[in-house]
Amino acid sequence: MSAGLPVLTGNEQEWMARAIELATSSVDNGGGPFGALVVRDGEIVATGANRVTLDFDPTAHAEVTAIRNACKALGTFKLDGCVLVTSCEPCPMCLASALWARMDAVLYAADRHDAAAAGFDDRAFYDVFSDPDHASPTDVRRVERPDRNAAFDAWTAKSDRVDY
């Protein structure tokens, strides 16, 4: 065990073993080597496996799939009180998804360097978010428009909106 890493409880070890099992099974079924699950009150609410190549969907990462499945199962878009358990350190998109879902915690096994060694090098994406001067692999620009806040104005004026 690496210095500084917390020791997982028995339940957390079981959940992590299940996430790794989902990741390995995903490989066997034609998906990527990533698995995740969402836990609430000690129970697995939903699982997800990487389906990027199977579904032709670059957002179908295991974590996003598990979050989507948990939201459907629980009938909510907020997953406060839940823990995301994933076989690998979440990429920036997956971490942002967990943050937007308001999850209590994220637990992962392999890290971004392990993923890079296996051919999944997301480190360039981490660099974009951690260093404002780092060149993005995708051109991102703001387009000036006088009506740029029209949707926000409609949102703030909506009396029956559901805040998130």
Side-chain angles (χ1 to χ4, degrees), residues 61-118:
H61 290 199
E63 298 89 343
V64 172
T65 302
I67 289 168
R68 288 173 179 161
N69 291 341
C71 288
K72 286 178 188 170
L74 296 171
T76 184
F77 58 88
K78 290 184 181 180
L79 296 177
D80 50 317
C82 293
V83 176
L84 177 65
V85 182
T86 180
S87 63
C88 186
E89 181 179 6
C91 73
M93 175 186 70
C94 293
L95 181 56
S97 297
L99 294 172
W100 272 110
R102 312 295 192 232
M103 303 196 87
D104 287 4
V106 176
L107 304 175
Y108 65 90
D111 66 19
R112 66 184 81 170
H113 308 293
D114 298 320

Side-chain angles (χ1 to χ4, degrees), residues 96-160:
S97 297
L99 294 172
W100 272 110
R102 312 295 192 232
M103 303 196 87
D104 287 4
V106 176
L107 304 175
Y108 65 90
D111 66 19
R112 66 184 81 170
H113 308 293
D114 298 320
F120 295 90
D121 198 353
D122 299 349
R123 290 179 295 191
F125 304 146
Y126 291 99
D127 292 343
V128 169
F129 291 107
S130 65
D131 179 1
D133 296 324
H134 189 83
S136 173
T138 302
D139 185 29
V140 179
R141 297 181 276 144
R142 179 176 173 201
V143 176
E144 183 59 46
R145 294 270 315 169
D147 62 346
R148 73 174 189 246
N149 285 318
F152 292 127
D153 293 341
W155 175 255
T156 57
K158 186 174 173 62
S159 62
D160 64 342

Side-chain angles (χ1 to χ4, degrees), residues 18 25 50 55 76 87 156:
R18 177 72 176 123
S25 181
N50 182 282
D55 293 350
T76 184
S87 63
T156 57

Side-chain angles (χ1 to χ4, degrees), residues 31-45:
F34 303 94
L37 46 100
V38 174
V39 176
R40 177 178 265 170
D41 297 328
E43 299 295 324
I44 297 173
V45 173

